[in-house]
Amino acid sequence: MSARLDLRFAGAGGQGIVMAGRVLAEAALRAGRAATHSQAYGPASRGGASRSDVVIADEEVVFPLVRRPRVLVILTAEAHRTYGDDLAPGGTLIVDTEASDGDDGLVLPIVETAARIVGTELASGVVALGALSAAVDDTDLETLEATIADRVPASLRAANLEAFAAGRSMVR
Amino acid sequence: MKQSRLIQGNEACALGAVAAGCRFYAGYPITPSSEIAEYMARHLPEEDGVFVQMEDEISSLGAVIGASFAGARAMTATSGPGFSLMQEHIGYAVMAEAPCVIVDVMRAGPSTGRPTSPSQGDVMAARWGTHGDHPAIVLTPASVTEIFELTVRAFELAETLRMPVIVLYDEVLGHTRETVELPPRVEIAGRRTPRVAPTEFRPKEAGPDGVPPLPAFGDGYRFHVTGLTHDERGFPTDEAEVAGRLIRRLHAKVEAHRDDIVEVETLLCDDADIVIFAFGIVARAAKEAVMVARAQGLRVGLLRPRTIWPFPDREVAKITAGASVVLVAEMNLGQVVREVERAVAGNARVEGLFRADGEAIDPEEILQALAPDLEGAAR
């Protein structure tokens, strides 16, 4: 059984966390690794806490769900209440400034940065990806950028890559 | 062909259906199955197929049955509440012998329940949800790749046996994205058409394997479709002997192909003192639990049904023959465990690990459930 890296983006609908998880998993595949993506959301069309989980492994991912993420990104206060305790001991916590509850982790203005650079909170996931890529050794910068570029509409490509870079620079 | 693209379980289901030649889909979108309808709505027109959004799930399966008799490979997909509404027409498809595929992506019930949460609570609904004595074929994939494979397989079984076939998986698998190995092309056996002249054709007359040939409506053969108990000509009957013959034939055609229909997968069961029986996403948790236990030198194995109905009782009996404990893990309060008990027939102790709160069972829970018995499983 190969070692696995479990990661979670937690937030609300409309913050781009599903896309961020898919980009992270697809970038891992491009880098020749195995990955799965799973998601959970509530029944309400607004509000509620959602999660977007990624497992990255060297070989097959046997069980695709994440229980105790080693990397946890939190973008809303409600997601903080729902998922804040799930972080694995010694794991990496990245929290949006507005969602922070006096956390020990990296507290960063992720949502605000997304709105400022791309003009929509939808890009919060991309900013979070940037921060995550700088905070976690086990990610590949080039494949992440290439995957983002492929995933977003051409008209928003430059803005999204800028948002990603802004996320990185918050951590470095 | 290994794709460097992640495919969602529900997308794999739709891809499998189209690959198997499905050209008609009627449905009413419902979480957590809606992505299947979305995919079909986008892609069936490209294949000269038809997508219809119906007013409800009753009419959805009705339209699917109609399309099937017109010659199309046809499917619908739903979840718990919609599956309940489809039960009447599932029985109709059994009786009228309409080849069709029904996908149930299980969510937490009963009733509206928790629409976005997984369960395995529909195992018995898939077997016995429609009334009367009837056979059922239900397939239970455990990965995104297998959702593709078993959707294709469902079409083959439906078409060759002239009956509804159900693909049953949980919300987790429906929404999980994994890499998928898609075959470059898929070919499946189709329905058998009549070899006799239209004047000699009797719509419900079967050969030795119990499956009557099926022309398409409009091919010039006499057509009679009914949910009433009927004779070989397709006409309703009140004769007990004819009625009994029909019901027994409907069962016999499944029994005659039983060994082809029933598929199980085993992992390290040969020397296992404990065998875990699990399907769907729980089988994935069980596989990881087996790997952890084996790394500690414990003789634990996994028996996983790809077909849950007909129940793989002979396989369970054979594979668990040397075990002292069989642990059945399922996301309900104990539906499959009784079937396993029946198959094990007292030769091993059968334990259950049940969860019905809308959360998936994980590997750790399975290992905890095994803990009291692990001493006996040490080498």
Side-chain angles (χ1 to χ4, degrees):
Chain A
M1 201 166 11
S2 60
R4 49 186 266 171
L5 175 63
D6 289 20
L7 309 100
R8 169 169 297 166
F9 297 88
Q15 292 186 316
I17 62 170
V18 168
M19 187 224 173
R22 290 177 68 176
V23 165
L24 189 58
E26 279 171 21
L29 294 181
R30 285 189 187 201
R33 309 188 69 192
T36 61
H37 175 260
S38 64
Q39 63 197 66
Y41 56 96
S45 55
R46 279 177 288 278
S50 307
R51 60 178 166 79
S52 167
D53 291 349
V54 178
V55 181
I56 298 172
D58 291 330
E59 293 162 37
E60 175 201 6
V61 176
V62 178
F63 184 61
L65 294 184
V66 169
R67 285 288 184 260
R68 307 284 284 170
R70 204 136 59 80
V71 181
L72 175 60
V73 176
I74 296 177
L75 297 183
T76 66
E78 187 166 357
H80 198 301
R81 285 190 291 277
T82 307
Y83 299 114
D85 294 336
D86 291 352
L87 185 69
T92 303
L93 180 66
I94 300 171
V95 191
D96 183 74
T97 314
E98 297 294 313
S100 176
D101 188 20
D103 297 287
D104 279 343
L106 296 160
V107 179
L108 311 169
I110 293 169
V111 178
E112 183 205 312
T113 303
R116 179 170 49 80
I117 295 177
V118 189
T120 167
E121 277 191 26
L122 264 173
S124 303
V126 172
V127 178
L129 263 180
L132 185 151
S133 73
V136 179
D137 291 338
D138 212 5
T139 51
D140 188 288
L141 178 61
E142 276 177 32
T143 51
L144 267 176
E145 283 180 334
T147 310
I148 292 168
D150 285 353
R151 270 265 154 223
V152 299
S155 60
L156 293 174
R157 194 169 290 152
N160 270 279
L161 290 173
E162 193 187 330
F164 177 78
R168 276 185 74 79
S169 65
M170 287 178 195
V171 175
R172 275 183 306 178
Chain B
M1 177 178 62
K2 191 109 181 172
Q3 300 205 339
S4 64
R5 189 163 83 91
L6 291 168
I7 291 183
Q8 195 183 50
N10 283 339
E11 186 184 358
C13 177
L15 284 167
V18 173
C22 176
R23 293 297 178 269
F24 184 91
Y25 182 102
Y28 186 86
I30 180 171
T31 301
S33 74
S34 299
E35 294 84 3
I36 301 172
E38 287 167 9
Y39 184 93
M40 294 304 245
R42 263 197 311 274
H43 294 282
L44 270 186
E46 295 168 3
E47 306 283 343
D48 289 330
V50 173
F51 171 93
V52 194
Q53 177 163 334
M54 302 296 291
E55 69 270 31
D56 62 27
E57 289 86 349
I58 303 175
S59 59
S60 295
L61 189 49
V64 162
I65 291 168
S68 175
F69 280 123
R73 290 182 183 165
M75 178 174 97
T76 187
T78 188
S79 185
F83 195 51
S84 293
L85 289 177
M86 286 182 185
Q87 293 300 335
E88 167 57 20
H89 274 154
I90 290 174
Y92 190 88
V94 170
M95 190 62 136
E97 296 181 80
C100 57
V101 172
I102 299 135
V103 181
D104 175 20
V105 187
M106 290 181 284
R107 69 191 221 184
S111 189
T112 314
R114 293 180 67 194
T116 59
S117 298
S119 95
Q120 294 178 324
D122 300 353
V123 183
M124 285 297 173
R127 176 64 191 90
W128 292 115
T130 195
H131 64 274
D133 273 318
H134 60 89
I137 298 177
V138 182
L139 311 180
T140 47
S143 70
V144 174
T145 296
E146 206 169 65
I147 289 174
F148 179 93
E149 288 171 8
L150 291 188
T151 302
V152 171
R153 178 75 177 139
F155 273 95
E156 184 160 64
L157 292 172
E159 292 291 320
T160 55
L161 298 176
R162 266 194 83 167
M163 62 184 288
V165 174
I166 295 167
V167 181
L168 188 68
Y169 58 90
D170 48 83
E171 181 273 343
V172 173
L173 287 173
H175 284 156
T176 292
R177 291 181 172 85
E178 298 185 294
T179 43
V180 173
E181 286 178 59
L182 295 177
R185 49 184 300 183
V186 170
E187 273 184 40
I188 62 168
R191 59 186 71 174
R192 203 181 315 146
T193 50
R195 289 189 184 158
V196 298
T199 49
E200 293 167 40
F201 180 61
R202 286 153 60 91
K204 285 305 206 76
E205 190 169 64
D209 75 342
V211 185
L214 178 62
F217 187 77
D219 277 356
Y221 286 85
R222 210 166 59 71
F223 228 82
H224 198 103
V225 177
T226 179
L228 284 165
T229 303
H230 49 271
D231 61 18
E232 283 79 3
R233 297 171 303 160
F235 288 127
T237 182
D238 272 331
E239 285 182 49
E241 196 222 324
V242 178
R245 197 160 66 221
L246 171 66
I247 301 306
R248 286 180 188 278
R249 179 177 65 73
L250 294 178
H251 283 80
K253 72 176 176 182
V254 174
E255 188 54 37
H257 299 89
R258 189 260 180 214
D259 289 346
D260 178 45
I261 298 167
V262 173
E263 293 180 339
V264 300
E265 188 188 82
T266 59
L267 173 69
L268 302 168
C269 283
D270 285 350
D271 67 339
D273 187 56
I274 302 173
V275 172
I276 306 168
F277 185 98
F279 62 99
I281 186 62
V282 185
R284 301 284 292 273
K287 184 175 179 181
E288 186 151 317
V290 167
M291 291 162 82
V292 171
R294 285 280 170 174
Q296 296 166 15
L298 303 166
R299 288 176 291 127
V300 180
L302 169 65
L303 167 52
R304 175 173 81 79
R306 278 161 52 99
T307 312
I308 199 109
W309 302 112
F311 191 74
D313 42 13
R314 291 168 218 165
E315 290 76 5
V316 169
K318 194 172 155 209
I319 291 160
T320 62
S324 56
V325 178
V326 179
L327 176 75
V328 181
E330 48 183 327
M331 280 151 55
N332 56 55
L333 294 185
Q335 298 192 15
V336 171
V337 67
R338 292 184 204 129
E339 291 297 318
V340 175
E341 279 171 351
R342 181 175 64 78
V344 169
N347 290 320
R349 182 157 49 83
V350 177
E351 298 283 346
L353 169 61
F354 309 132
R355 185 157 192 174
D357 60 356
E359 297 292 326
I361 291 174
D362 66 27
E364 213 166 299
E365 283 176 88
I366 293 175
L367 286 166
Q368 278 168 12
L370 291 177
D373 295 307
L374 283 179
E375 207 171 306
R379 280 182 191 283

